Amino acid sequence: MAKSKKRKHHHDFHPPTHTVKTQKGKSAVLVAGIFFCLLGIGIAYFAAGPSLLWLLAGAVVGAVGGYFFGLQIDKSFSKK
């Protein structure tokens, strides 16, 4: 039987092979870092008062702790 020349041909979609899948928005590091930074500021405020030096120190210590906490969460969820 003859093929219709007016019919559109179907093509299978093949994604490019050189693309890299990213984990955009799936990282707990940023969220944990911000949360622990705010927590560190709160603890420093109640411990030392409104001293800017201690508030900054609490923010830095909290952000570093949040970074490592977020890394551990990402590791534990990536193993499945």
Side-chain angles (χ1 to χ4, degrees):
M1 184 174 225
K3 291 183 179 180
S4 173
K5 293 182 181 180
K6 294 180 182 178
R7 183 181 297 172
K8 292 183 180 180
H9 299 287
H10 298 285
H11 297 285
D12 292 333
F13 175 73
H14 298 289
T17 58
H18 63 281
T19 59
V20 177
K21 295 181 182 179
T22 60
Q23 291 184 341
K24 186 176 182 181
K26 295 184 179 181
S27 177
V29 174
L30 181 64
V31 175
I34 292 172
F35 177 74
F36 277 71
C37 178
L38 293 175
L39 187 67
I41 290 172
I43 291 172
Y45 181 78
F46 287 115
S51 174
L52 184 62
L53 177 66
W54 288 108
L55 292 177
L56 288 175
V60 169
V61 170
V64 169
Y67 174 77
F68 288 115
F69 182 75
L71 281 179
Q72 290 293 58
I73 290 176
D74 281 344
K75 281 184 184 179
S76 67
F77 283 126
S78 68
K79 290 183 182 178
K80 293 183 181 178

